[in-house]
């Protein structure tokens, strides 16, 4: 599957930069292309300069709202991010048109952090414009949810997340939810290592996008997972997970099938990887709420059997009984078995409900605070009424 990737704001731009690296890896190691164009859009010049892999010209690193913000961002006011995106979205559309072999692109992936200003405000607006302009390609939005400590210290974070998610959901074909907090559960030092988190966010997409682009017969599995399978799966609220199992690097020819115990261990490795993928989903959710799902197993061809694929299918079926499940196997890589899982068309997402409820309660609170501020400012002014002015 080939994507056009557009990152908005600092968070989105950096993750898009990660996709540019994935594409370089795919073309270097596998001679295939998975991203036809990568763009970063921001109101902040410094953020755009900090990227490393996205092409440096103004049509790939797109500064919007330069006149309004002086190139310094919108400081978490996502209404301003949205307004600027409305004024400057033509710049993004013009840039997309420069993509070489754009006609080969299967879908758009837009990425932004929900809690900031630029990306949070711009992602629904740009999604809407792209949908109107390119009616035949799906537009997916990957939205990064804030860390817990950000939610606790700044209420605007919750409000931005709620308005961003609600608006984007109404225009995108799917929203891939990515919770920053999930990535520091096991390793708190990651909080200060956004680059590492970004690599973990992009990682599951590598084999997923590569599988359908393989041309060499020996890398094409019994069931090829292609762009059609992915597009049929990704709808509405969506999460993605990725898990791995180490394999011995050297196996004797024919070793796998000769011994039933080996076969048992092969299945065990597969289940272990799938279990890791489901426990490490990009956002905590209940798999039973998904109506569409997909899994891709990637391992050296002598480590994969029809039985393994079937066992994994049964396992996922147990977790998501109501989902239409698509699957594929990708006989590539050495010493590693990995499983990518997508759970989509989720009928309920607790975290989204949480943002909506908290924000609804915050709106009257914000209004009350504004009124109180006005009253106390008025009181100061009143006490100054007998003091002469110098103006
Ligand atoms: N995973 C990840 N999250 C990030 C990164 N940069 C920022 N964030 C998160 O994104 C949110 C802030 O959004 P930003 O992208 O920094 O904001 P922006 O879109 O640039 O908007 P303004 O700076 O307000 O104009 C916070 O929740 C951060 O934790 C990143 O590189 N990776
Ligand atoms: Mg910024």
């Amino acid at each position: 599957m080939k994507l056009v990737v557009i990152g908005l704001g600092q968070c989105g731009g950096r993750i898009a930069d990660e996709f540019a690296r994935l594409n370089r890896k795919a073309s270097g190691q596998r001679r295939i292309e998975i991203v036809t164009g990568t763009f970063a859009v921001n109101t902040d010049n410094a953020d755009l300069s900090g990227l490393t892999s996205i092409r440096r010209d103004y049509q790939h690193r797109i500064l919007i709202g330069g006149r309004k913000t002086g190139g310094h961002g919108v400081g978490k006011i996502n209404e301003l991010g949205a307004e600027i995106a409305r004024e400057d979205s033509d710049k993004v559309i013009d840039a997309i048109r420069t993509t070489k072999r754009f006609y080969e692109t299967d879908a758009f992936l837009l990425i932004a952090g929900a809690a900031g200003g630029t990306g949070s405000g711009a992602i629904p607006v740009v999604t809407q414009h792209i949908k109107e302009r390119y009616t035949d390609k799906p537009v997916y939005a990957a939205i990064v949810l804030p860390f817990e400590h950000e939610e606790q210290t700044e209420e605007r974070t919750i409000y931005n997340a709620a308005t961003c998610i609600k608006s984007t959901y109404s225009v995108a074909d799917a929203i891939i939810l990515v919770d920053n907090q999930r990535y520091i559960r096991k390793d708190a030092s990651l909080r200060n290592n956004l680059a590492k988190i970004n690599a973990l966010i992009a990682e599951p997409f590598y084999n997923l996008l590569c599988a359908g682009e393989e041309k060499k017969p020996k890398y094409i599995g019994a069931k090829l997972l292609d762009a059609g399978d992915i597009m049929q799966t990704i709808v509405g609220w969506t999460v993605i997970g990725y898990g791995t199992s180490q394999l011995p690097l050297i196996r004797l020819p024919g070793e796998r099938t000769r011994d039933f115990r080996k076969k048992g261990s092969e299945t065990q490795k597969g289940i272990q990887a799938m279990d890791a993928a489901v426990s490490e989903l990009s956002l905590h959710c209940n798999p039973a709420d998904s109506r569409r799902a997909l899994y891709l197993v990637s391992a050296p061809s002598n480590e994969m059997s029809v039985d393994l694929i079937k066992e994994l299918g049964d396992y996922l079926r147990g977790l998501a009984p109501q989902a239409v499940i698509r699957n594929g196997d990708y006989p590539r890589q050495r010493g590693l078995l990995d499983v990518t899982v997508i759970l989509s068309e989720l009928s309920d997402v607790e975290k989204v409900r949480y943002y909506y409820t908290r924000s609804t309660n915050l709106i009257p609170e914000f209004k009350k605070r504004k009124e109180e501020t006005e009253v106390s400012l008025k009181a100061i002014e009143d006490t100054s009424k007998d003091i002469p002015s110098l103006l």
Side-chain angles (χ1 to χ4, degrees), residues 81-154:
E83 187 185 319
I84 289 172
R86 269 192 294 278
E87 287 163 8
D88 276 359
S89 63
D90 284 351
K91 277 192 184 176
V92 182
I93 302 281
D94 286 348
I96 293 170
R97 296 214 326 258
T98 67
T99 308
K100 270 193 257 158
R101 298 201 304 288
F102 175 73
Y103 60 91
E104 290 179 19
T105 309
D106 297 296
F108 290 93
L109 178 66
L110 274 63
I111 310 168
T118 302
S120 174
I123 194 167
V125 174
V126 177
T127 300
Q128 186 175 40
H129 276 83
I130 293 178
K131 278 248 44 118
E132 283 165 8
R133 179 75 177 67
Y134 301 101
T135 47
D136 61 332
K137 293 190 201 306
V139 182
Y140 305 127
I143 297 190
V144 178
L145 307 177
F147 293 105
E148 245 163 55
H149 70 92
E150 295 176 298
E151 292 179 4
Q152 281 156 8
T153 51
E154 176 52 66

Side-chain angles (χ1 to χ4, degrees), residues 28 38-40 82 136 148 159 170 195 201 216 223 225 227-228 246 267 276 280 292 302 307 326 373 384:
T38 323
F39 304 88
D136 61 332
E148 245 163 55
Y159 179 78
S170 68
I201 292 172
K216 291 209 185 89
K223 167 73 188 74
L225 188 97
Q246 291 297 326
T267 309
E280 299 301 321
R292 300 179 196 224
N302 64 345
D307 284 351
R326 294 180 171 81
T373 311
S384 76

